[in-house]
Amino acid sequence: MSTLPMEVVEVVGQTMIKIVPVTIGLALVFTVLSYFWACNPGRPWWRKSELVTDICYWFFVPVFARIVRIGLLVLGAAVVFNIHEADELIAFYDNGHGPLAQLPLWAQGLLFLVASDFMLYWLHRMFHGGGFWKYHAIHHSSEHLEWISAARFHPVNLFIGTITVDVILLMAGISPNVMLWVGPFTTFHSAFVHANLNWTLGPLKYVLATPVFHRWHHTSLEEGGDTNFAGTFPLWDILFGTFRMPDGQLPESYGVDADQKVPTAIGGQLAYPFRQ
Ligand SMILES: [Zn+2]
Ligand SMILES: [Zn+2]
């Protein structure tokens, strides 16, 4: 019989086995692409500042997100739907439930992408304001923005962000099977928008978030930051007036204001919001 600690060890192991080959693949792809099309030429990603910090997040974040997501799904089913038995729980989530699960899988996947991106757009704007910024400042603390910086998120930012949004949509009935292609897409796409590439994708810049689009988001206020909040679809920024991609210009510097003094190591960063 398996126990909770054993299950956690198993989830950690399974997640690691998945991450290693994906990481090697992404490293190869972005090494080649940024050799030819760097947005900010100078140094390759493996010589970026705080590389060890980014690698720690890269492996820690998927494990944390997966364990918390499972916990919230179990809790949500118990509290909202009064489901407590393991068999019932599996049947409930296995292929989704209710009207949304009746849609073809591709439509559920598309709905998942659009609905989650809409919610994440507003959560992202919320994290840029007032009491929430200190958590999100961690993500913005990368001064050398590279594909490997994509996972640098404080756990509070992850919790009131992708994790909660995923759980809401799965509880609403969308089949977890959509994750078979939504998961790889979001992993690749988030690494892509953080990659050191000068790609704007021409007219497609209005359809899909690109490296230049997201790099503008990581610049200072004076350079044009506080724009481009969408994760996947720039449509939200166009609709709500926060889209910014100046023609013929590329973003140059990234990071938070020097007076915010975000630590460079992961331990200090995790503690940072609680010391403010
Ligand atoms: Zn941001
Ligand atoms: Zn980012």
Side-chain angles (χ1 to χ4, degrees), residues 41-245:
R43 58 169 105 186
W45 65 266
W46 59 87
R47 287 184 51 228
K48 81 179 286 302
S49 59
E50 299 154 23
L51 178 65
V52 175
T53 299
D54 283 332
I55 291 173
C56 292
Y57 281 102
W58 187 264
F59 287 94
F60 159 79
V61 161
V63 172
F64 171 82
R66 190 162 168 196
I67 291 172
V68 176
R69 197 185 296 123
I70 294 170
L72 282 182
L73 284 170
V74 173
L75 187 72
V79 172
V80 182
F81 298 100
N82 201 24
I83 292 172
H84 301 277
E85 297 299 318
D87 303 355
E88 275 182 277
L89 201 65
I90 292 168
F92 182 66
Y93 283 121
D94 219 13
N95 292 300
H97 53 87
L100 294 180
Q102 304 304 313
L103 295 168
L105 208 57
W106 65 265
Q108 292 184 55
L110 200 64
L111 179 66
F112 186 98
L113 271 184
V114 173
S116 64
D117 206 48
F118 177 76
M119 289 190 262
L120 288 171
Y121 170 85
W122 287 105
L123 286 172
H124 192 179
R125 286 191 64 170
M126 179 187 87
F127 268 106
H128 270 255
F132 289 99
W133 167 253
K134 59 190 180 188
Y135 301 102
H136 190 57
I138 304 303
H139 181 65
H140 280 265
S141 66
S142 283
E143 291 182 358
H144 296 112
L145 205 57
E146 285 287 353
W147 65 275
I148 191 96
S149 318
R152 190 190 288 204
F153 277 103
H154 192 278
V156 171
N157 197 161
L158 288 170
F159 188 82
I160 314 174
T162 47
I163 296 175
T164 302
V165 164
D166 286 357
V167 168
I168 288 172
L169 291 171
L170 294 178
M171 282 185 59
I174 292 184
S175 167
N177 297 326
V178 300
M179 289 300 186
L180 282 177
W181 65 268
V182 169
F185 169 78
T186 39
T187 302
F188 176 81
H189 185 258
S190 63
F192 174 68
V193 297
H194 289 94
N196 182 9
L197 293 173
N198 61 10
W199 289 9
T200 58
L201 301 187
L204 283 181
K205 68 182 176 187
Y206 301 114
V207 180
L208 190 71
T210 61
V212 172
F213 171 86
H214 193 63
R215 292 177 90 77
W216 281 118
H217 176 71
H218 276 265
T219 59
S220 63
L221 262 183
E222 304 83 68
E223 215 188 320
D226 254 2
T227 51
N228 303 356
F229 293 94
T232 307
F233 305 114
L235 172 70
W236 315 126
D237 287 292
I238 297 167
L239 284 179
F240 304 116
T242 48
F243 182 87
R244 183 176 191 274
M245 277 182 83

